[in-house]
Amino acid sequence: MPETGQPRPDILSPIKWPLRLTLWGMAAERITRAFWPLWSLLIAALGLLMLGVQDMVAVEWVWVSTVVLLGAVGWAVWRGVRMLHWPRRSEAVARLDGTMRGNPIQAALDDQAIGSADTGSQAVWQAHQARMRKRLAEARAVEPDLRVAKADPFALRYVALLAFAVALVFGSFLRVSSVTAMGPSGSDLASGPAWEGWMEPPGYTRLPSVYLNDITAPGIDVPEGAQITLRMYGEVGALSVDESVSGRSLTPETAQETAQDFAVAHSGRLAIDGPGGRAWEISVTADAPPSVAREGEIESSYEGDAQIPFTASDDYGVVGGTARITLALDEVDRSYLLASEPEPREAIEVPLPMPIAGDRAEFTETLVENFSEHPWANLPVKLELNVTDEAGQAGASDIETITLPGRRFFDPLAAAIIEQRRALLWTRDNVPEIARILRAISYLPDDVFRSAVPYLRLRGVLRDLESSGAQMTGEQQDVLAKAMWDLALILEEGDLASALERLQRAQERLSEAMKNGASEQEIAELMQELREATDDYLRQLSRQAQQNAEDNPEMSQSQDMMEMSQNDLQRMMDRIQELMEQGRMAEAQEALEQLQQLMENMQVTQGQQGQSPGEQAMEGLGETLREQQGLSDEAFRQFQDQFNPGQQGQQGQQGQQPGQPQQGQGGDGQQQGQQGQQQGQSQPGQDGQQSLEESLADRQQQLRSELNRQRQSLPGAGTEPGEAARDALRRAEEAMDGAEEALRDDDLAGAIDQQSQAMEALREGMRSLGEAMAQQQQQNQGQQGQQQGGNPGQQRDPLGRNAGANGQIGTDENMVQDEDVYRRARELLDEIRRRSGEGERPEEELEYLERLLERF
């Protein structure tokens, strides 16, 4: 077999370029493996120079690092030259041949060793040679293996690449040139001394440091408290510092020190005298003190949580603050048990809330704290807000006299206990008078206390007061004050043993709140408590009535009684809240008394007219759906009138069904259209239209609030259909909210679209609720049938359809009984198509009609 070191050119001509590329790749492999330390060192050094590391250390360290780097570079070059072996052509041929099936290059270069005289053997050999040479056309260059992981187990080359990548992002090539300007190097050693200087602002300013060698301007603005660092190189005394910004006294020896550090205290002059020196006029920017002010109305909740809003600002940021509250003794009504001098008490100091994230240079926050148990609650106090910045400067607001917010008690007995508690904390000299007043309050306990528990607690407090007297210690005073506070809470909130007691207490507290002029927030919370107590009372009445019906199935209901649903009660409470919000307290008080009488005389029936919670919810949702449909129809009519004024009569004619008499063609319809035109011409400002849009938006808001209330009390919790119904009603509420915003923005097309989505979600929610009711009824089929009673055929859903068996809501009965419903649907669809083809109609109306066609 011939030598393959020098292959014949005629055979290897088809693989000339693959062989050449393979050879170059092998050369790249060996260069990379031999010189990877060299380029790693060069890239790392370039990255550090671009980041300006040389400007952050002393010049001596720069020169030492340079010497070490040059030594490392020399070693890397020597190592690379020593390890580098240039690849030979035969090695490239062997690598390329090894990547192909059957080693066709080697086979093409071989000669026939035996059988050359045999014709058959020679024919086989020639066929084999032809096949191998043909396979050479499939040769592809071998990719080089540039991996050096074995030679670099610690991945130092990636450290160098990382430093260079960081330098590309955060550094600059211009910083590399600063090496030549550092200290006494090269020509500087021959020309004379050198200097360096930095100005570093205080850390809280978050301003960058300044390299004074780069500042050629005559003046510099420096924040107060900045630190100046100067370094002089060369012969001592060749350079000196002259400055008047630190307030220190400079002697000739001090001025010539080679290392100087001082803080900027005030404006002045800074100069470096000597060869290459420079001078600047330093202008100090003073750090302004922070400021704080109370802003907005102070609010308090029914539980006594005070909400005090305030604003604060600083040029660099506020770090903390406190609210200081002291008693405004001159403003206190010093009558009754407050006539004595109060015992000295420390001022109330609470920390002000700071923003957790974001800029603290200017912000608005609200201090939320409960001062209800403090002796100064609901008394005049002086409020002062204080804030500080990182420089230690303080700022204070104007002292303001306010009434310290605290919990208000509307139960008369609880309010009396709290008043005596305040007198006890005012001064212990009031103890004998407080004991007499409490004894008088508890003289006839049956007429005052609802149960024996609060009476016994009051007797215990009274016994401790009389036993200690005016010699009471401070610890005993605090214990008795806590006991009186807990007693007042029991009297105010009561022991929730029965829903009726809770309901009566809620009604009494709401009535007292209206009489005493409570705030809107307190009334709103009391109103919410009344709603919850009413719902709880109705649930207990329903269970009791159901139990009575099971025990006495033959018991009949009286026929001459007024029927009320839970929705009627909710509407009454909504009316009471609306009257209170409008300030009509007398009417609200009268409506509340009517509600009290109704609740006292209420009986829940489970007979023929009885409804389960699911049926009540279904009825309420049906009413909501009908009201939403009405709102959508009014919005659509207004949408048509907005773009086609005066054509209402014509649209009425076009909308009439074929085969019916077209009333009003000659008279009423035309007159209505003419009247609409005249009204549109007489009101160019369209004030009536705007008020109608506001009315629709308000009605949409009320309907959304009603749906939210219905969603909160929806039965079927925990079941898959019940959760699906809740999710559908949530989407309907979101769509109603979008429709309300669209109505207020005069976007009728968007409002109609949102209302359509709300109605679709309502229908889906009712279907899911019906499935939940069906599941529940299947589980309790026997007992549920006895409890509901009556004729199932007489029970109807909110849409007027008969309720089927097994709780299934639906009917095969035709809801449109006056004509063919399918023909009517086709006519409506044709009318929509006809109107969508009229190009003169407004763009918004055409888009709405197209959405209708896509939906139906």
Side-chain angles (χ1 to χ4, degrees):
M1 186 173 60
E3 178 66 31
T4 60
Q6 298 294 332
R8 294 191 295 272
D10 57 337
I11 297 177
L12 301 182
S13 58
I15 60 170
K16 178 178 64 175
W17 279 106
L19 182 60
R20 185 175 299 173
L21 293 175
T22 302
L23 182 61
W24 293 348
M26 294 176 65
E29 287 181 8
R30 299 188 180 184
I31 292 174
T32 302
R33 293 173 182 174
F35 291 100
W36 72 264
L38 177 62
W39 60 256
S40 298
L41 287 171
L42 296 178
I43 289 178
L46 181 60
L48 294 176
L49 292 176
M50 291 172 61
L51 290 173
V53 177
Q54 68 277 10
D55 298 332
M56 304 176 187
V57 297
V59 67
E60 292 83 1
W61 285 104
V62 176
W63 288 114
V64 171
S65 302
T66 303
V67 172
V68 173
L69 176 63
L70 291 176
V73 168
W75 169 83
V77 172
W78 172 80
R79 176 186 179 276
V81 173
R82 181 171 171 271
M83 292 184 59
L84 181 62
H85 297 284
W86 202 258
R88 293 178 297 175
R89 183 180 177 86
S90 59
E91 295 175 349
V93 170
R95 173 176 289 191
L96 181 60
D97 193 24
T99 60
M100 293 186 291
R101 181 168 53 89
N103 299 103
I105 300 177
Q106 185 66 37
L109 295 175
D110 286 343
D111 294 328
Q112 187 175 3
I114 60 175
S116 57
D118 185 5
T119 304
S121 177
Q122 188 176 4
V124 172
W125 176 254
Q126 291 176 357
H128 173 67
Q129 287 281 313
R131 187 182 300 112
M132 292 295 103
R133 293 187 181 185
K134 185 179 180 180
R135 193 173 293 176
L136 291 179
E138 302 175 359
R140 297 292 183 270
V142 181
E143 295 183 0
D145 184 9
L146 301 178
R147 293 173 296 181
V148 293
K150 293 182 178 179
D152 183 19
F154 299 104
L156 298 178
R157 63 195 185 282
Y158 293 127
V159 176
L161 287 174
L162 177 61
F164 184 70
V166 173
L168 289 177
V169 177
F170 300 103
S172 173
F173 283 102
L174 300 178
R175 293 189 178 182
V176 179
S177 61
S178 64
V179 177
T180 59
M182 293 188 60
S185 61
S187 60
D188 292 336
L189 293 174
S191 61
W195 62 273
E196 283 187 297
W198 297 269
M199 186 278 295
E200 184 177 359
Y204 65 84
T205 63
R206 296 172 181 84
L207 296 176
S209 300
V210 176
Y211 187 54
L212 295 179
N213 297 63
D214 295 337
I215 305 301
T216 58
I220 308 177
D221 292 332
V222 177
E224 184 179 1
Q227 190 76 13
I228 300 293
T229 301
L230 297 175
R231 296 293 183 266
M232 273 74 71
Y233 310 106
E235 184 181 356
V236 177
L239 295 174
S240 62
V241 175
D242 183 17
E243 57 90 7
S244 59
V245 296
S246 64
R248 60 177 182 166
S249 58
L250 284 176
T251 62
E253 293 78 9
T254 306
Q256 295 178 2
E257 291 180 357
T258 58
Q260 299 190 25
D261 299 278
F262 52 88
V264 178
H266 48 77
S267 301
R269 181 175 180 272
L270 172 62
I272 299 177
D273 299 329
R278 200 173 301 170
W280 303 274
E281 291 293 332
I282 303 297
S283 178
V284 175
T285 303
D287 187 356
S291 62
V292 61
R294 197 187 65 78
E295 182 176 293
E297 295 294 331
I298 297 178
E299 299 179 355
S300 62
S301 65
Y302 171 70
E303 299 293 337
D305 292 327
Q307 301 175 10
I308 305 175
F310 67 93
T311 59
S313 61
D314 185 65
D315 45 4
Y316 296 115
V318 178
V319 296
T322 58
R324 179 180 174 84
I325 301 174
T326 56
L327 180 64
L329 192 59
D330 298 338
E331 303 290 335
V332 177
D333 182 10
R334 304 291 296 277
S335 57
Y336 303 109
L337 296 180
L338 302 183
S340 303
E341 287 299 319
E343 296 178 357
R345 290 189 178 274
E346 297 181 356
I348 303 175
E349 291 189 358
V350 292
L352 293 178
M354 295 288 117
I356 299 177
D359 188 14
R360 293 189 180 183
E362 185 174 0
F363 62 90
T364 300
E365 282 288 343
T366 300
L367 171 64
V368 180
E369 195 73 24
N370 196 319
F371 304 102
S372 299
E373 298 188 43
H374 197 273
W376 299 340
N378 297 316
L379 289 179
V381 295
K382 295 179 180 179
L383 173 64
E384 182 182 12
L385 306 179
N386 301 277
V387 291
T388 57
D389 61 7
E390 292 194 34
Q393 301 181 102
S397 66
D398 296 334
I399 298 178
E400 181 181 5
T401 301
I402 64 170
T403 299
L404 185 62
R407 176 165 183 164
R408 300 179 63 184
F409 290 81
F410 300 103
D411 184 88
L413 184 55
I417 297 296
I418 289 299
E419 185 178 356
Q420 302 310 309
R421 175 183 178 273
R422 183 176 62 186
L424 173 63
L425 294 174
W426 185 264
T427 175
R428 280 167 281 183
D429 295 338
N430 292 329
V431 169
E433 189 67 23
I434 294 172
R436 284 192 293 269
I437 294 175
L438 293 181
R439 184 169 293 278
I441 291 175
S442 59
Y443 177 65
L444 296 175
D446 294 338
D447 298 337
V448 178
F449 295 94
R450 298 187 183 94
S451 63
V453 175
Y455 172 69
L456 293 177
R457 289 201 175 193
L458 180 61
R459 294 295 298 177
V461 171
L462 183 59
R463 182 179 60 253
D464 294 339
L465 285 171
E466 292 177 343
S467 62
S468 59
Q471 290 76 29
M472 180 184 299
T473 63
E475 184 178 355
Q476 291 175 335
Q477 183 186 28
D478 295 337
V479 171
L480 281 175
K482 179 62 177 176
M484 296 175 72
W485 176 264
D486 295 339
L487 175 60
L489 286 181
I490 293 177
L491 294 172
E492 178 73 12
E493 299 293 342
D495 186 9
L496 302 181
S498 68
L500 179 58
E501 266 190 59
R502 179 186 177 189
L503 177 62
Q504 292 174 348
R505 284 193 298 272
Q507 292 171 346
E508 292 173 2
R509 281 197 292 271
L510 181 59
S511 178
E512 289 294 330
M514 288 189 291
K515 291 179 182 178
N516 297 335
S519 65
E520 294 181 1
Q521 186 174 359
E522 292 174 336
I523 290 180
E525 293 183 4
L526 290 173
M527 195 68 202
Q528 180 63 27
E529 182 184 359
L530 177 61
R531 292 177 187 272
E532 295 174 358
T534 303
D535 293 340
D536 188 20
Y537 179 58
L538 290 177
R539 283 194 296 269
Q540 290 193 11
L541 278 179
S542 177
R543 287 194 295 268
Q544 183 180 3
Q546 180 177 348
Q547 183 178 1
N548 293 337
E550 293 175 357
D551 296 340
N552 302 303
E554 70 280 357
M555 186 178 61
S556 61
Q557 301 292 337
S558 176
Q559 298 298 326
D560 53 348
M561 63 172 55
M562 182 180 65
E563 297 180 1
M564 287 189 70
S565 66
Q566 189 172 1
N567 291 333
D568 297 330
L569 293 175
Q570 294 294 341
R571 292 191 187 95
M572 290 186 65
M573 286 187 283
D574 291 340
R575 178 59 178 168
I576 294 173
Q577 187 169 4
E578 181 180 356
L579 291 173
M580 289 188 295
E581 292 175 353
Q582 295 175 359
R584 299 156 64 180
M585 292 300 178
E587 299 179 28
Q589 183 71 29
E590 183 179 355
L592 181 60
E593 293 176 358
Q594 294 177 2
L595 178 63
Q596 292 176 356
Q597 295 176 2
L598 286 174
M599 297 302 294
E600 291 174 359
N601 300 324
M602 177 174 291
Q603 294 182 1
V604 176
T605 62
Q606 296 286 337
Q608 183 175 350
Q609 287 81 20
Q611 288 184 332
S612 66
E615 293 173 346
Q616 293 178 1
M618 188 70 77
E619 180 181 356
L621 292 177
E623 182 67 24
T624 302
L625 179 59
R626 285 192 291 271
E627 293 181 5
Q628 182 62 76
Q629 181 65 57
L631 278 176
S632 181
D633 293 342
E634 292 185 25
F636 183 68
R637 285 194 294 269
Q638 184 179 354
F639 179 72
Q640 289 181 315
D641 295 341
Q642 182 177 1
F643 297 100
N644 298 289
Q647 297 184 7
Q648 184 176 359
Q650 297 177 7
Q651 292 178 0
Q653 295 173 8
Q654 295 173 359
Q656 287 184 352
Q657 304 159 7
Q660 290 185 352
Q662 298 180 357
Q663 300 177 356
Q665 288 182 357
D668 297 340
Q670 295 177 359
Q671 291 175 4
Q672 291 177 2
Q674 294 172 0
Q675 290 175 1
Q677 279 185 343
Q678 293 172 0
Q679 291 176 0
Q681 295 172 0
S682 62
Q683 296 179 359
Q686 298 183 351
D687 295 337
Q689 180 180 352
Q690 183 178 2
S691 63
L692 180 58
E693 292 171 2
E694 294 177 355
S695 175
L696 290 178
D698 294 338
R699 290 168 59 188
Q700 186 69 70
Q701 180 184 9
Q702 295 176 2
L703 191 61
R704 178 174 58 85
S705 302
E706 175 65 19
L707 178 62
N708 182 42
R709 186 193 63 78
Q710 293 172 350
R711 185 167 62 88
Q712 299 297 332
S713 58
L714 199 68
T719 63
E720 183 176 354
E723 296 301 326
R726 283 173 168 79
D727 183 65
L729 296 186
R730 178 186 57 78
R731 288 187 278 108
E733 186 177 349
E734 293 176 354
M736 288 183 180
D737 187 39
E740 177 191 347
E741 294 182 0
L743 287 172
R744 298 193 186 279
D745 296 338
D746 197 15
D747 183 11
L748 292 176
I752 295 172
D753 190 29
Q754 292 286 343
Q755 289 171 340
S756 175
Q757 296 179 15
M759 289 186 289
E760 183 65 26
L762 276 172
R763 295 188 184 98
E764 182 180 348
M766 294 176 65
R767 286 194 296 268
S768 300
L769 180 59
E771 294 176 3
M773 293 170 58
Q775 288 184 3
Q776 183 178 3
Q777 196 165 14
Q778 287 175 1
Q779 295 174 358
N780 305 312
Q781 186 173 1
Q783 298 178 358
Q784 190 74 11
Q786 295 179 0
Q787 293 175 4
Q788 289 183 354
N791 186 2
Q794 297 178 358
Q795 299 179 357
R796 294 181 178 272
D797 69 354
L799 299 180
R801 300 171 295 184
N802 291 334
N806 298 329
Q808 182 178 0
I809 303 300
T811 178
D812 298 331
E813 185 177 342
N814 188 8
M815 298 299 294
V816 185
Q817 301 176 0
D818 54 350
E819 58 178 343
D820 187 0
V821 62
Y822 299 104
R823 180 172 57 82
R824 174 61 175 154
R826 286 194 301 271
E827 291 171 357
L828 289 175
L829 192 59
D830 293 339
E831 180 64 17
I832 294 175
R833 290 196 182 98
R834 186 189 65 79
R835 296 190 183 187
S836 63
E838 296 176 0
E840 66 275 4
R841 291 184 177 273
E843 185 67 24
E844 290 83 355
E845 185 178 358
L846 292 177
E847 292 178 357
Y848 174 69
L849 293 173
E850 290 176 1
R851 288 197 298 270
L852 287 179
L853 289 175
E854 292 175 358
R855 184 179 295 274
F856 300 103

